[in-house]
Amino acid sequence: MSLSTGWSDRWTATWRFGRTPVTCSVRNLSEVEAVQSRPVRRFTWRTGQWHRPGLEYLVSTDRHHGFESFEEELLLLLIADFAGDMEEALAQPFRLRFLTADGERVDHTPDFLLLTGSGPWLLDVRPAGRIRPEDEVRFAASTEAALAVGWNYSVVTGWRRHVVRIVDALSAGRRELTDQLGLQGELLRAAASGPFPFGELVERCSYPAIARAHALCLLWHRDLGTWHPATS
């Protein structure tokens, strides 16, 4: 990459607003009204394609968001939604054009820009075993672009297996539930004298089968927490 004097003025980012592309320098990246933008690439569904795109509902934004792969859906969007700090998720936010050391122009479109309470996060998603040398160059360029405007940048390569399984299981209860039977209050009162195993906790409620769904909802929204003896 070429990071000589003035590089942030020579590197550009192209956004899409409606049908009109808008290009700015990397130095001015944070001045763009990102929430008004659209993905610079269209999501496509066709027979025989190797990746699996789709739409994922997020509690944080109360709407569906496009993704291009299973990894983007489960390793990023679902985990970010569970983190509870996300305010907006923008897929394929802009096309970054940077210069290599020999003057070659290279394009890279980051997978997501997440707007959170702790600041913007520019993110790429790539399983660790599938990162190629040319990917490393593009990720390094994205790092520099993010740092230039005070954003965070990360490449999501995977999580420990139990993390993904637990968050995936809890996501079944992420939507708010109508609690006409007062089961959430029963769960919270029971948990106050705990901790209890999940099964024992719901059995302390008047309708255990229904209490299971409410317990998952409370766990997702941080009204209930988990504890493991090994961490005490």
Side-chain angles (χ1 to χ4, degrees), residues 162-231:
H162 73 277
V163 172
V164 176
R165 288 178 174 174
I166 291 173
V167 174
D168 191 28
L170 292 179
S171 69
R174 55 187 158 163
R175 293 180 183 267
E176 294 287 353
L177 297 176
T178 301
D179 187 20
Q180 295 179 339
L181 299 174
L183 293 172
Q184 293 189 11
E186 291 184 20
L187 286 163
L188 294 172
R189 287 191 293 273
S193 59
F196 300 108
F198 184 87
E200 183 178 340
L201 177 64
V202 298
E203 287 294 333
R204 289 172 173 262
C205 297
S206 51
Y207 300 94
I210 303 175
R212 285 180 172 271
H214 285 279
L216 289 176
C217 184
L218 291 174
L219 284 166
W220 181 273
H221 291 281
R222 305 300 199 285
D223 295 309
L224 279 179
T226 59
W227 171 81
H228 193 283
T231 63

Side-chain angles (χ1 to χ4, degrees), residues 89-170:
L90 305 173
Q92 286 88 54
F94 58 84
R95 182 177 297 107
L96 174 67
R97 174 164 291 182
F98 62 95
L99 300 176
T100 63
D102 58 6
E104 179 186 3
R105 294 182 180 273
V106 180
D107 290 347
H108 174 59
T109 302
D111 290 320
F112 281 92
L113 174 62
L114 302 185
L115 306 181
T116 76
S118 57
W121 280 87
L122 190 63
L123 296 157
D124 280 298
V125 182
R126 192 69 52 85
R130 286 167 36 197
I131 296 178
R132 302 164 298 179
E134 55 267 35
D135 295 326
E136 294 179 354
V137 174
R138 289 177 170 83
F139 296 160
S142 297
T143 301
E144 295 296 338
L147 288 173
V149 291
W151 293 354
N152 301 290
Y153 176 77
S154 288
V155 179
V156 180
T157 60
W159 301 92
R160 293 184 178 181
R161 185 172 299 177
H162 73 277
V163 172
V164 176
R165 288 178 174 174
I166 291 173
V167 174
D168 191 28
L170 292 179

